[in-house]
Amino acid sequence: MNTSELSWDIFHFDKSTNTVVFKNMATLALFSERIYGSYEEELGAALVNTLDLQFPKLENTIIAHMPVSVDVLQNLARSTRKSIVFSGPLASMVAMLDRPIRGLEYIELRWDSKFYLYEADNFVRLSNEALGRTAGIEWVNFTLRCKVPEFVLTGINWTHVTVLSLEIPLSFSTLLPAVLAMPNLVKLTIDVEDCEEEELITAVEYLFNIREYFAEPSTTKITNLRIFCLDGPAYLRLEEQIPLKAAFEMLTWLIPGAAIEFS
């Protein structure tokens, strides 16, 4: 469904009962692209559900920026057997994961400041709370896209995250200690496509002097480190002046078990 408001009443065919059973639904996908000014405004766009919704065979749930009431969101999370991909506000992630989800194999949570800038000031607290509720899920993927200047990951505690994708201002002095402290992280993607030239120069200088900031290689479990868009059109000029790949390859000393991929 691709609509700014969702009404489950359109599936309520049997008026003799308040129950709606989606007997054979294996995958549910809900999409929207509207931007709201607050969490309260977003919840207000989701129609209140008065039905007993049941999904006995639901395996995969995908929700992208769609306002969904808390009760329906929690129902979908508990009904999903295999995977959940959720792009939305952190407050909704916290609500969705209000209790442990047993048997779920994969969850991917995505937060983008373009849609949820109103949560930026409380990002660390809310993300810690949401991701702290993913214990027991085999694969926990968190994708973070934030264009807020001077945004840093100081104070994060993402113990259960196994796959992390970042498109944030490059501040390796705070970024590296944060991700290296994540005990279950095995794959890290850093997207530098939209970085400013000055930001890249600072990052390269830091990486070339990496041994001054770390006494020894880390013991992280990271096995795959992907640097995204170093070869994109925006970097043709920069690549002649700034040895980007060589700088990022310095991370092989800090993360000895990781294979570095440039794309």
Side-chain angles (χ1 to χ4, degrees):
M1 298 178 186
N2 192 352
T3 177
S4 60
E5 293 186 342
L6 171 66
S7 173
W8 296 96
D9 288 333
I10 61 176
F11 302 106
H12 192 199
F13 304 115
D14 185 356
K15 303 302 181 180
S16 65
T17 176
N18 199 45
T19 300
V20 176
V21 182
F22 297 86
K23 295 180 181 180
N24 298 308
M25 181 179 288
T27 298
L28 174 65
L30 306 172
F31 298 92
S32 178
E33 294 184 353
R34 183 175 173 182
I35 298 176
Y36 297 90
S38 68
Y39 182 58
E40 291 72 22
E41 182 183 343
E42 175 149 343
L43 284 183
L47 298 185
V48 176
N49 175 56
T50 60
L51 300 171
D52 175 18
L53 305 176
Q54 298 181 13
F55 305 86
K57 295 184 179 181
L58 187 60
E59 295 186 348
N60 310 294
T61 296
I62 305 168
I63 301 175
H65 313 301
M66 168 66 77
V68 179
S69 60
V70 170
D71 62 320
V72 173
L73 196 58
Q74 292 173 345
N75 183 11
L76 290 172
R78 295 164 194 162
S79 301
T80 305
R81 298 180 179 182
K82 289 187 178 181
S83 70
I84 294 175
V85 178
F86 181 81
S87 303
L90 292 165
S92 287
M93 298 179 195
V94 172
M96 177 175 66
L97 301 169
D98 70 319
R99 65 181 67 176
I101 303 176
R102 305 189 184 282
L104 196 66
E105 299 174 6
Y106 176 89
I107 188 168
E108 180 171 350
L109 303 175
R110 302 173 180 175
W111 188 87
D112 189 336
S113 63
K114 172 185 175 182
F115 291 91
Y116 310 108
L117 184 60
Y118 58 82
E119 288 188 322
D121 290 341
N122 295 310
F123 174 82
V124 171
R125 177 181 62 81
L126 288 170
S127 65
N128 284 347
E129 187 173 358
L131 293 168
R133 299 184 176 195
T134 58
I137 302 174
E138 184 176 358
W139 287 97
V140 179
N141 186 327
F142 187 51
T143 297
L144 168 60
R145 185 175 187 271
C146 186
K147 296 301 182 182
V148 178
E150 300 181 1
F151 179 86
V152 295
L153 296 180
T154 303
I156 64 168
N157 183 22
W158 301 344
T159 303
H160 309 301
V161 172
T162 55
V163 180
L164 179 63
S165 300
L166 300 173
E167 186 179 345
I168 61 176
L170 285 181
S171 176
F172 281 111
S173 60
T174 55
L175 172 61
L176 288 178
V179 298
L180 294 178
M182 298 168 64
N184 293 299
L185 186 65
V186 296
K187 182 175 182 179
L188 172 63
T189 297
I190 302 175
D191 187 336
V192 298
E193 183 176 16
D194 295 328
C195 289
E196 299 292 335
E197 182 173 351
E198 182 178 348
E199 188 179 350
L200 283 173
I201 292 174
T202 300
V204 165
E205 291 176 350
Y206 181 92
L207 292 174
F208 274 127
N209 295 285
I210 195 71
R211 298 195 185 202
E212 295 182 11
Y213 307 110
F214 294 88
E216 57 186 8
S218 71
T219 58
T220 176
K221 293 181 180 179
I222 297 174
T223 57
N224 183 277
L225 173 59
R226 183 185 181 204
I227 311 301
F228 185 68
C229 277
L230 284 178
D231 293 326
Y235 290 91
L236 293 179
R237 180 177 60 84
L238 289 176
E239 190 63 37
E240 298 175 359
Q241 305 173 30
I242 307 172
L244 297 174
K245 290 184 178 179
F248 278 104
E249 285 171 349
M250 295 297 293
L251 288 173
T252 57
W253 173 83
L254 182 62
I255 311 175
I260 299 184
E261 173 187 351
F262 298 96
S263 60

